[in-house]
């Protein structure tokens, strides 16, 4: 149970931070993320659609696979900043798609540089640090002539990887390289092109509607199948990108000296996945290959690690120091990489605050290997949840079918309004279809006992990290307290959107003046 503040272990491996660091002293680190990919879209994580990820599946045979790993929020910029700061969003200041221009904490880039690493990034640059431009040694989004790479350009990811490795060799330092693959983030393969134009970035396999399997949290319909076919084609293109990254690592002779960490930032960009805290929103396909340390093809189904633990773990692996280690919210699972058991990984705490439009609709959650409890203080039966998936064909189709189909109408109502509390037995219901707090045949005594325990654990953890939602979880029946809290959130959101409109107007004025 994570009820103590983390004291990060600093593993210097005999190296002073003031002396040059050789690649042989500590591993290079390559972090590869895919964007908006559900965990079970990958073959080795149980994808029901064949041939979605041959390259990633091949990598899995050489790596350690975590079956219970989670990110902690279902949208990109706050999720990535949580990962690489080791701090929840209300502390790191990146609660939505807004920069924090004056952070009072270091992030992975800073710590790696201080430890003697060459730092580089490709993709999602403005989402991976509290503000941009940030002090990376190299940003690899352009070719040698300065032309910007297309984010869906498969071969460019291999080129960026080779460039980073060669630059690190020139610097005489090991590298800390983050390669953020854009797929399968929307627009999906073949979308967004004018009539007569086709997508030049064709996946190595294009899926058809009759080949896909509809996830249990959605509904079977031709429109949904068509969109899923584009999604899985984009998953395959992400796999193609990953293959070029791994090929570059091998071709540059760096594979045996490099720890590779692979994950997705959150679930697929369709209803009940992205911009949510459900199981398929946060379950991430975390794999780590550390030559000589991790056992090839091994599986960790014991530790429920999460995004908040990534930075503490890398501090141990890379021999980095932290000026305020007791401030980090997670803990290192570095011993688990070598097959050891580590206490304190029995559940994860999830946190959502704000979408890209700056609508404040906070949610909190706690998930164990069996249960998921969600708390939604914004839900009052009237507010409509503002999610990034509203613009999808699937969401639009659901709205149309809800007018005549009672089952879809009930799902659409949940999608829009939710309830204040949700409880799911995720070991049997990973699609989160049955909220046991509202199910008429549920064992009321068992449900109450379970929700009381989870609510207490959640409240204790939110208090530990000084989350302002903690008092609401403690007093969950107090509707007035919840209403007052949401009034303040509404006022804050109105202020944020006002500032955004003001900046947009200023930009228009400047353009006209120019």
């Amino acid at each position: 149970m994570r009820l103590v503040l983390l004291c990060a272990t600093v593993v210097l491996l005999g190296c002073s931070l003031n002396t040059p660091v050789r690649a042989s002293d500590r591993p290079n680190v390559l972090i590869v993320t895919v964007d908006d990919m559900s965990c079970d879209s990958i073959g080795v994580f149980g994808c029901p659609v064949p041939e979605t990820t041959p390259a990633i599946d091949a990598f899995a045979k050489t790596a350690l696979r975590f079956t219970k790993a989670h990110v902690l929020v279902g949208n990109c910029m706050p999720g990535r900043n949580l990962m690489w700061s080791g701090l929840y969003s209300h502390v790191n200041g990146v609660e939505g798609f807004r920069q924090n221009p004056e952070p009072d904490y270091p992030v992975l880039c800073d710590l790696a540089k201080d430890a003697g690493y060459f730092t580089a990034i490709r993709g999602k640059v403005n989402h991976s640090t509290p503000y941009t431009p940030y002090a990376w040694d190299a940003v690899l989004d352009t070719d040698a002539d300065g032309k910007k790479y297309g984010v869906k350009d498969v071969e460019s990811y291999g080129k960026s990887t080779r460039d980073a490795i060669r630059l690190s060799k020139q610097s005489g330092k090991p590298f800390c390289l983050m390669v953020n693959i854009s797929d399968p983030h929307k627009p999906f393969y073949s979308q967004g092109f004018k009539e007569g134009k086709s997508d030049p970035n064709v996946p190595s396999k294009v899926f058809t509607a009759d080949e896909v399997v509809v996830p249990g949290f959605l509904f079977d319909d031709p429109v949904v199948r068509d969109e899923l076919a584009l999604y899985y084609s984009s998953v395959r293109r992400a796999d193609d990108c990953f293959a070029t990254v791994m090929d570059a690592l091998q071709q540059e002779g760096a594979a045996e000296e490099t720890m590779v960490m692979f994950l997705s930032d959150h679930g697929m960009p369709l209803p009940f996945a992205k911009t949510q805290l459900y199981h398929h929103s946060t379950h991430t396909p975390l794999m780590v290959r550390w030559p000589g340390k991790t056992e090839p093809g091994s599986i960790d189904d014991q530790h429920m690690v999460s995004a908040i633990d990534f930075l503490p773990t890398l501090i141990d692996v890379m021999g980095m120091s932290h000026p305020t280690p007791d401030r980090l919210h997670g803990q290192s699972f570095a011993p688990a990489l070598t097959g050891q058991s580590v206490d304190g990984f029995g559940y994860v705490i999830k946190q959502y605050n704000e979408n890209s439009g700056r609508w404040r609709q906070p949610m909190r959650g706690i998930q164990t290997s069996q249960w998921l409890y969600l708390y939604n203080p914004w839900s009052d039966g009237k507010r409509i949840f503002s999610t990034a998936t509203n613009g999808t064909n699937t969401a639009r189709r659901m709205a149309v079918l809800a007018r005549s189909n009672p089952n879809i109408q009930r799902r659409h109502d949940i999608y829009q309004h939710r309830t204040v509390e949700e409880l799911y037995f995720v070991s049997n219901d990973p699609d989160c279809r049955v909220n046991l707090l509202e199910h008429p045949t549920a064992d009321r005594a068992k449900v109450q006992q379970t929700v009381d325990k989870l609510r207490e654990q959640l409240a204790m953890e939110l208090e530990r990290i000084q989350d302002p939602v903690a008092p609401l979880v403690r007093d969950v029946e107090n509707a007035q307290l919840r209403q007052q809290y949401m009034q303040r959130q509404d006022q804050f959101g109105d202020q944020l959107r006002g500032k955004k409109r003001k900046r947009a107007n200023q930009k228009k004025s400047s353009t006209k003046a120019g």
Side-chain angles (χ1 to χ4, degrees):
M1 185 176 291
R2 301 175 195 182
L3 302 180
V4 295
L5 294 178
L6 171 71
C7 291
T9 305
V10 179
V11 183
L12 295 180
L13 303 181
C15 298
S16 167
L17 297 181
N18 296 320
T19 59
V21 180
R22 298 170 298 158
S24 59
D25 291 327
R26 281 173 284 171
N28 302 308
V29 172
L30 170 60
I31 300 166
V32 183
T33 75
V34 286
D35 205 357
D36 290 22
M37 184 189 288
S38 290
C39 185
D40 64 355
S41 296
I42 292 175
V44 294
F45 283 92
C47 184
V49 181
E51 302 181 52
T52 54
T53 54
I56 297 171
D57 293 344
F59 172 75
K61 295 178 181 179
T62 70
L64 166 63
R65 178 171 17 128
F66 288 86
T67 64
K68 296 180 179 179
H70 284 261
V71 295
L72 299 178
V73 61
N75 52 357
C76 180
M77 188 168 178
R80 291 174 186 267
N81 271 270
L82 183 152
M83 290 179 199
W84 311 129
S85 69
L87 302 169
Y88 278 96
S89 300
H90 68 286
V91 173
N92 70 34
V94 186
E95 293 187 317
F97 291 73
R98 296 179 287 116
Q99 298 190 28
N100 177 5
E102 297 181 350
D104 61 352
Y105 55 87
V107 297
L108 174 61
C109 175
D110 306 306
L111 300 173
K113 289 180 72 172
D114 289 346
Y117 277 80
F118 177 85
T119 63
I121 187 170
R122 163 67 199 277
K124 309 300 287 190
V125 177
N126 62 339
H127 284 182
S128 301
T129 50
Y131 62 86
T132 51
Y134 210 79
W136 298 92
D137 290 314
V139 174
L140 301 164
D141 284 353
T142 57
D143 63 17
D145 297 324
K147 183 180 179 181
K148 190 172 179 63
Y149 287 129
V151 296
K152 308 291 186 176
D153 180 350
V154 172
E155 295 300 325
S156 70
Y157 287 93
K159 293 175 183 177
S160 293
T161 302
R162 283 191 291 273
D163 287 345
I165 295 171
R166 291 169 183 174
L167 288 170
S168 76
K169 289 177 179 177
Q170 293 174 13
S171 72
K173 300 176 181 180
F175 61 79
C176 175
L177 169 61
M178 192 180 297
V179 177
N180 299 308
I181 296 168
S182 176
D183 274 316
H185 192 291
K186 290 178 72 67
F188 295 144
Y189 164 66
S190 78
Q191 287 185 327
F193 291 89
K194 295 180 180 179
E195 187 175 350
K197 298 287 185 179
S198 60
D199 193 335
N201 302 304
V202 182
S204 56
K205 178 177 174 59
V206 176
F207 292 88
T208 59
D210 60 347
E211 291 179 292
V212 305
V213 177
V214 179
F217 52 85
L218 294 176
F219 54 96
D220 201 339
D221 180 87
V223 172
V224 177
R225 284 184 168 272
D226 285 343
E227 191 157 42
L228 283 169
L230 298 182
Y231 165 76
Y232 280 113
S233 298
S234 302
V235 167
R236 181 59 179 255
R237 189 166 58 186
D239 187 77
D240 296 339
C241 294
F242 180 78
T244 69
V245 173
M246 291 298 101
D247 287 347
L249 186 68
Q250 188 69 40
Q251 291 163 7
E252 292 299 319
E256 293 306 310
E257 296 181 343
T258 302
M259 187 190 88
V260 180
M261 181 178 180
F262 172 84
L263 66 141
S264 173
D265 67 341
H266 52 71
M268 65 169 65
L270 293 176
F272 300 103
K274 184 174 181 175
T275 328
Q276 304 284 358
L277 295 183
Y278 291 120
H279 173 74
H280 289 298
S281 306
T282 62
H283 190 207
T284 190
L286 178 66
M287 291 185 279
V288 178
R289 184 180 74 187
W290 188 1
K293 300 289 185 179
T294 54
E295 181 180 348
S298 57
I299 297 174
D300 185 317
D301 57 8
Q302 174 187 357
H303 299 97
M304 204 165 183
V305 303
S306 75
I308 203 69
D309 307 311
F310 293 168
L311 184 63
T313 301
L314 290 171
I315 285 175
D316 279 1
V317 168
M318 299 168 66
M320 300 185 295
S321 63
H322 198 296
T324 54
D326 60 345
R327 188 180 181 185
L328 293 178
H329 288 150
Q331 66 182 96
S332 171
F333 57 87
L337 300 179
T338 56
Q340 301 176 59
S341 180
V342 190
D343 293 333
F345 292 94
Y347 56 82
V348 298
I349 301 298
K350 306 183 185 185
Q351 181 194 75
Y352 173 88
N353 292 293
E354 182 183 311
N355 74 351
S356 60
R358 307 188 179 190
W359 293 96
R360 304 283 297 178
Q361 293 172 312
M363 300 183 289
R364 300 294 184 267
I366 178 171
Q367 183 165 344
T368 70
S369 60
Q370 289 189 306
W371 299 97
L372 170 63
Y373 168 75
L374 297 176
Y375 177 67
N376 311 304
W378 64 271
S379 177
D380 60 2
K382 299 177 183 178
R383 297 173 186 268
I384 295 177
F385 189 63
S386 183
T387 164
T389 62
N390 282 339
T392 61
N393 295 337
T394 298
R396 293 191 183 104
R397 183 62 172 164
M398 179 166 55
V400 170
L401 294 178
R403 300 168 191 163
S404 57
N405 186 317
N407 291 329
I408 294 181
Q409 191 279 327
R410 282 190 289 271
R411 287 295 284 169
H412 189 246
D413 184 64
I414 292 169
Y415 177 69
Q416 287 194 311
H417 300 292
R418 307 286 285 278
T419 58
V420 175
E421 293 185 288
E422 300 173 72
L423 178 67
Y424 300 99
F425 189 38
V426 287
S427 56
N428 283 354
D429 181 23
D431 296 316
C432 298
R433 295 295 300 250
V434 180
N435 180 3
L436 293 171
L437 292 172
E438 296 186 341
H439 199 268
T441 62
D443 184 332
R444 305 317 306 169
K446 183 178 181 180
V447 166
Q448 192 61 51
Q449 182 182 29
T450 300
V451 77
D452 287 346
K453 179 180 178 181
L454 292 172
R455 195 189 291 137
E456 173 65 19
Q457 287 178 317
L458 177 60
M460 291 175 68
E461 287 293 338
L462 295 183
E463 288 167 350
R464 176 179 73 87
I465 62 176
Q466 298 181 340
D467 189 314
V469 176
L472 280 69
V473 178
R474 279 287 181 203
D475 197 3
V476 73
E477 300 295 336
N478 192 332
Q480 183 178 5
L481 182 65
R482 193 164 58 246
Q483 183 180 24
Q484 291 171 346
Y485 171 79
M486 283 309 304
Q487 287 175 348
R488 294 193 297 272
Q489 295 298 303
D490 291 341
Q491 292 169 359
F492 184 39
D494 290 344
Q495 180 184 7
L496 293 174
R497 288 188 298 279
K499 289 181 178 179
K500 186 177 183 180
R501 286 193 295 270
K502 184 177 180 181
R503 282 196 297 271
N505 291 335
Q506 289 174 340
K507 186 175 181 180
K508 289 180 182 178
S509 299
S510 299
T511 302
K512 290 179 180 179

